[in-house]
Amino acid sequence: MGNQKEDIMLEIYNLLQTTTGKSLFETIDEKQKALEISNLQLANILSIPKSTFDRIIKNIEDNNLHDVDFYLVLKLGQFLGVGIEEMSQIYVASLKPEKIKELESARKANYILSTFDLKSLKKIGFIENISDFESIEERIKSFFCLNTIFEYSNEVGGVLFSRTKNLSNDKMRELWVRSAMFQFQKRENPNDFEVEKLLAIIPKIRPYTRYEEKGFLSVLQALYNVGVTVIVQTYLSKTQVRGGTFAINNKPCIVITDFNKNYPTLWFALLHELYHVIYDFTELKKLTYHLTGEEQSELYLFREDLADYFAREMLFPKENLAYIKHLIKMPTMVNDYAEKLKVHPSIIYSFYCYEENEKGKNYYASFNHYFGKSDKAIQVVRTHPWDKETIYHEIDKANKILVPNNS
């Protein structure tokens, strides 16, 4: 993955998997007999004393290679007329089983360190110790139900990430994305997706914002019935991921985080991602996923500004905000207007603060006590898999929640 040490370990592992030839001692012995060379002659060729050669060749015969240095192995390769790769295969074939196990343990530890941010995983309670690599390996394997730790790269999401900047926040983001994709892959929505049905639902979403406890759940169930699967996945520190839209099995899937835990942002994030489902799904199927706010290739022009505009207009149009903003300091008037337009008042306050902030005026401190928390709305639908024994626990939970007859 762009890491020289890891690439070397991978090559050695491949040697472990493919070596079926002769041992190092058998190869040397065969060559000596073919050339009719004595131990003294070979010792001179290798520029080592005869007594040293005898001791080394005895250790090689016993598969005890701890004092056979790599330079000597290279010289033996020159004598035997084989390249470095083949010589490595011969060398590995001569290792004792416990040495092969140590080599494999080193490779696993290297993979874990290169792939996961252990300090952050401990912080969220996913692992207990950042030095016990055997326990970390078993934790990851059991969580995703993997046969080997290396299956994580292919079986969990199957996402390709650049390793040119192997930063800890990239590792946590990768875990977040892979976990979301894994859940969607294992929880295939049986309902067909048709954009026309989705377009029919969207204008009906706004009134549900007024029901703080059950409104969000009801909307997610309605979306599920038209082929759009939505989950709320706990925000992971360092990721800076607030939401994302995925194309899994040719169906749209949405993940929303509880990043700032306020109620209007929850609805805004949902409508923002639904914009991408409606207008960007063809491109999403090529890319597999899009994270909101993430820099995209110029080949795929995801318009975050249009998605934001769409979300605001669907929840509380700008023309309505223009009417009520002059009365924004009168809660009774705001509440009456919100009831008339069938929207939660927190959305009015939030959009007002956002609009003023765009003008350089920060009123969040004055009005954020009207925003409210998202806890009630997502307490049933939020997935927090990191402290569970297996991610399948959250998958089963979401299956029961998103299907209305099972909730």
Side-chain angles (χ1 to χ4, degrees), residues 129-144:
N129 188 303
I130 64 172
S131 302
D132 187 347
F133 291 99
E134 186 174 342
S135 295
I136 295 169
E137 177 194 356
E138 289 305 314
R139 170 62 174 143
I140 296 168
K141 283 167 53 181
S142 62
F143 182 73
F144 289 110

Side-chain angles (χ1 to χ4, degrees), residues 195 199 273-284 301-302 306-307 310:
V195 70
L199 288 170
E273 301 303 335
L274 286 174
Y275 171 90
H276 290 308
V277 171
I278 296 169
Y279 296 103
D280 298 322
F281 192 57
T282 299
E283 300 301 328
L284 275 167
L301 300 178
F302 290 91
L306 292 182
F310 175 84

Side-chain angles (χ1 to χ4, degrees), residues 126-170:
F126 186 78
I127 59 175
E128 296 180 356
N129 188 303
I130 64 172
S131 302
D132 187 347
F133 291 99
E134 186 174 342
S135 295
I136 295 169
E137 177 194 356
E138 289 305 314
R139 170 62 174 143
I140 296 168
K141 283 167 53 181
S142 62
F143 182 73
F144 289 110
C145 296
L146 305 175
N147 293 316
T148 71
I149 185 66
F150 306 108
E151 287 182 350
Y152 173 81
S153 296
N154 300 317
E155 299 297 324
V156 182
V159 190
L160 298 178
F161 288 86
S162 169
R163 287 297 186 187
T164 56
K165 293 183 179 180
N166 198 10
L167 304 176
S168 61
N169 60 318
D170 289 332

Side-chain angles (χ1 to χ4, degrees), residues 9-176:
M9 291 301 298
L10 182 58
E11 290 175 10
I12 293 175
Y13 180 72
N14 288 334
L15 296 174
L16 288 172
Q17 294 291 83
T18 59
T19 299
T20 57
K22 298 182 180 68
S23 70
L24 182 56
F25 175 78
E26 291 170 335
T27 306
I28 295 170
D29 185 59
E30 186 178 274
K31 187 73 173 181
Q32 278 187 268
K33 289 176 179 177
L35 297 177
E36 297 182 349
I37 294 176
S38 68
N39 283 0
L40 176 60
Q41 289 173 300
L42 184 49
N44 289 334
I45 291 172
L46 298 175
S47 300
I48 58 176
K50 168 71 163 48
S51 58
T52 301
F53 175 83
D54 289 339
R55 175 174 54 79
I56 291 175
I57 206 70
K58 181 64 169 64
N59 286 335
I60 291 175
E61 183 179 9
D62 295 338
N63 289 339
N64 185 12
L65 306 183
H66 67 276
D67 63 348
V68 182
D69 64 46
F70 189 66
Y71 182 59
L72 178 60
V73 172
L74 290 178
K75 288 196 289 185
L76 283 169
Q78 293 298 310
F79 165 71
L80 297 171
V82 298
I84 293 176
E85 181 176 346
E86 185 179 351
M87 194 62 199
S88 298
Q89 290 178 334
I90 295 170
Y91 180 87
V92 169
S94 303
L95 292 173
K96 290 184 177 181
E98 59 268 24
K99 295 299 180 182
I100 294 177
K101 184 177 179 181
E102 289 176 8
L103 188 61
E104 176 67 351
S105 296
R107 181 187 175 236
K108 289 177 179 178
N110 181 70
Y111 177 81
I112 290 170
L113 288 168
S114 301
T115 308
F116 301 95
D117 179 354
L118 300 186
K119 289 183 179 179
S120 293
L121 290 182
K122 182 181 179 183
K123 186 176 180 180
I124 65 173
F126 186 78
I127 59 175
E128 296 180 356
N129 188 303
I130 64 172
S131 302
D132 187 347
F133 291 99
E134 186 174 342
S135 295
I136 295 169
E137 177 194 356
E138 289 305 314
R139 170 62 174 143
I140 296 168
K141 283 167 53 181
S142 62
F143 182 73
F144 289 110
C145 296
L146 305 175
N147 293 316
T148 71
I149 185 66
F150 306 108
E151 287 182 350
Y152 173 81
S153 296
N154 300 317
E155 299 297 324
V156 182
V159 190
L160 298 178
F161 288 86
S162 169
R163 287 297 186 187
T164 56
K165 293 183 179 180
N166 198 10
L167 304 176
S168 61
N169 60 318
D170 289 332
K171 295 175 186 177
M172 292 302 284
R173 184 187 65 175
E174 179 173 338
L175 175 66
W176 189 92

